[in-house]
Amino acid sequence: MNQIWRLLCLSKLQLSWHLLTLVVLIMAAPSQAADKALLIGVDRYPQLPQRLWLRGPSNDVTLMRSALLQQGFAEAHIQTLVDAPSRAQILAAMQAMLAHTTPGDRLLFYFAGHGSQQPQPAGRLPVEPDGLDEVLLPADVAAWDGHGSQASIAHAIVDDEIGAWIDALVDRGAVVWALFDTCHAAGMTRSTSTGYERAIHPHELGLKLSGASAKTAPRQSRGRQDGRVLLFAGRSHERVREEWMPRGANLAQARMHGVFTWHVASLLPELGMKDPEALLAAVRQRYEQEQRSQPLPMLSGALANTGKH
């Protein structure tokens, strides 16, 4: 009887060991790679004059979300921030995406809203050719009336912050697509905003830039370029706009959209996120058909001309 009891106890121990081993293997197994997106559209800027508010970014996010769902993105993997997301909300969403990134993920970051410029702090690398940082403007930006190199835009998100975040995503084994339907006002003069341009001149925000630092510089690829595709709605000296789209539609059918986003979203179901060069060429062809000479959408990143995703 004692022998039978010892055998039974041994069998239970072996079963427990096998179950524990199975649990450990399941927990250690890598998560399956997935397509994920963070889509941001900023329409309202409560601390700025209403003439500087936008009408299209929230519509753009809806359009991009629909295009990604057609691409096979799962609803649970598409996060959207629209209307008036703050800097803290945007950064929190970025960090959450980073925390849940696994090797093999394909990630899309999209921003529609205002951009601008501010002086680059002394000593920061890489050095900007024109001495200015490009910035994205969340809803809680506020005017600043500092001077020269000490001036900055309250709550703005600096291009270097976006770059460091993309670097971290790539280091975790992800491939990153970043689309920016905005510009940074380099080609604008003070007080010329019509409410349709997606940039605010630094002067509108109280930044007193010198003539030397306020010059227009061509967009350049700086820093790391690996593991990413960067698509911009225009060159640095061009004005990026939102319009009633589609062109020629009556008001019941048209919505305010970024021109760049409208064409990208309409092409994604056909072309997918496989060949960035082909996508850019198709967008530019659409612009030619609509007789748009500018802005000229731009592409950079190490994956820009490889046809990889």
Side-chain angles (χ1 to χ4, degrees):
M1 186 67 176
N2 290 337
Q3 183 67 19
I4 295 175
W5 177 253
R6 283 196 297 270
L7 289 174
L8 182 59
C9 289
L10 181 60
S11 297
K12 288 181 178 179
L13 286 173
Q14 289 175 330
L15 178 60
S16 298
W17 175 255
H18 288 309
L19 287 174
L20 179 60
T21 303
L22 180 61
V23 170
V24 170
L25 288 174
I26 291 174
M27 293 180 66
S31 301
Q32 185 176 2
D35 291 336
K36 304 171 186 175
L38 174 57
L39 312 178
I40 300 166
V42 187
D43 296 310
R44 296 190 299 115
Y45 293 86
Q47 300 187 63
L48 302 180
Q50 286 196 21
R51 63 183 174 81
L52 298 177
W53 293 14
L54 296 169
R55 301 177 64 182
S58 291
N59 295 335
D60 289 342
V61 167
T62 299
L63 195 64
M64 284 295 297
R65 181 178 181 276
S66 177
L68 294 179
L69 289 173
Q70 293 181 61
Q71 280 291 294
F73 280 63
E75 289 191 26
H77 289 162
I78 302 176
Q79 181 176 3
T80 62
L81 295 175
V82 296
D83 187 27
S86 67
R87 170 185 166 89
Q89 290 171 327
I90 293 172
L91 293 184
M94 290 166 59
Q95 289 307 308
M97 174 172 273
L98 175 61
H100 292 91
T101 295
T102 58
D105 282 352
R106 182 173 59 171
L107 310 177
L108 186 142
F109 174 78
Y110 170 84
F111 181 88
H114 276 311
S116 193
Q117 294 175 300
Q118 66 182 24
Q120 182 182 35
R124 178 181 288 174
L125 298 175
V127 176
E128 299 283 358
D130 56 2
L132 300 172
D133 279 324
E134 298 179 16
V135 296
L136 303 180
L137 303 186
D140 58 339
V141 295
W144 182 267
D145 58 357
H147 297 280
S149 63
Q150 300 304 310
S152 63
I153 303 168
H155 303 139
I157 300 177
V158 182
D159 55 355
D160 293 337
E161 294 180 275
I162 299 292
W165 176 66
I166 294 177
D167 290 346
L169 294 172
V170 172
D171 287 342
R172 292 204 176 190
V175 169
V176 181
W177 284 56
L179 282 68
F180 301 94
D181 198 340
T182 183
C183 59
H184 61 72
M188 297 173 64
T189 56
R190 185 176 182 179
S191 301
T192 60
S193 176
T194 64
Y196 295 98
E197 290 162 352
R198 293 189 170 179
I200 297 178
H201 193 281
H203 280 101
E204 297 284 0
L205 299 165
L207 293 173
K208 310 296 192 272
L209 301 182
S210 66
S213 63
K215 66 183 179 180
T216 298
R219 171 166 274 137
Q220 298 183 6
S221 297
R222 301 178 305 106
R224 287 175 53 180
Q225 294 291 299
D226 57 314
R228 71 203 69 194
V229 173
L230 308 176
L231 278 162
F232 303 93
R235 294 172 290 187
S236 60
H237 63 282
E238 295 174 325
R239 304 180 184 184
V240 172
R241 295 177 57 84
E242 58 181 37
E243 300 177 4
W244 292 100
M245 300 295 288
R247 268 190 169 185
N250 59 49
L251 291 180
Q253 297 175 321
R255 294 288 183 275
M256 189 69 78
H257 284 285
V259 176
F260 174 68
T261 298
W262 173 265
H263 290 299
V264 169
S266 63
L267 288 164
L268 277 177
E270 174 188 352
L271 299 179
M273 293 171 57
K274 298 178 181 178
D275 187 341
E277 289 280 1
L279 179 61
L280 177 67
V283 172
R284 288 182 173 181
Q285 184 177 30
R286 292 278 192 91
Y287 277 37
E288 291 178 5
Q289 292 171 351
E290 295 181 351
Q291 297 183 331
R292 298 181 188 274
S293 58
Q294 60 178 322
L296 186 67
M298 301 296 293
L299 172 64
S300 67
L303 302 182
N305 57 4
T306 64
K308 297 180 181 178
H309 66 284

